Amino acid sequence: MANTLEFEVGAGYEVANPPKLAVGDDQPHQLSRFFTVLATDEHGVSVYDGWYGEGFSSLHLPHDVLAQLDVTRLPSRGEAGAADLANAIATSAAAAIERRDQVKEHGAAEQSVHASQRFFVQFFSGQIRGLASKGLINPDLAVQMISLSTGVELAVGE
């Protein structure tokens, strides 16, 4: 059985079998396989799991939900955050170049650069959300990086 005393703010966790949860007006939300603890209180924990509703969103997991989860803390990577970010950029760039080449092969040379830029933004945003949900970078930083890379301002809040 999990409790809030076991959770550390800023740490990343992995959920073995993430359930669907009722959120807001009983809208189902598939809990991600990874989440970062943002805050703990006497009712449970607030987490970030890579989900964007209206921008950056956190999710409160009450004690009864926590008790049902099979959760493992991810090992701290220390200074590896910069390496993870560099890898996310490199992976995203490589995927975007591959996308550009695919579009070019289909005779749309003029559209290939735009397609690769759009693909880079989408791929990079996903990479950043993943790093933040695993506790490898701060979720607030993830929102700022996605806003900078996409030009879309995301609202920060619950």
Side-chain angles (χ1 to χ4, degrees), residues 57-143:
S57 296
S58 63
L59 181 66
H60 191 268
L61 301 176
H63 290 292
D64 59 332
V65 171
L66 291 171
Q68 298 171 28
L69 299 179
D70 181 9
V71 179
T72 306
R73 183 167 189 225
L74 297 170
S76 176
R77 302 254 336 246
E79 299 297 318
D84 290 326
L85 283 174
N87 186 49
I89 292 170
T91 303
S92 301
I97 290 167
E98 183 178 327
R99 179 66 163 186
R100 182 189 66 206
D101 293 344
Q102 289 172 347
V103 172
K104 245 188 209 179
E105 285 177 11
H106 293 288
E110 309 84 40
Q111 298 169 346
S112 66
V113 171
H114 179 67
S116 70
Q117 289 170 340
R118 190 173 61 243
F119 191 80
F120 173 83
V121 166
Q122 292 168 343
F123 196 93
F124 183 62
S125 295
Q127 293 281 312
I128 294 301
R129 285 192 303 270
L131 292 174
S133 68
K134 293 177 183 177
L136 298 177
I137 63 172
N138 182 302
D140 291 327
L141 175 63
V143 169

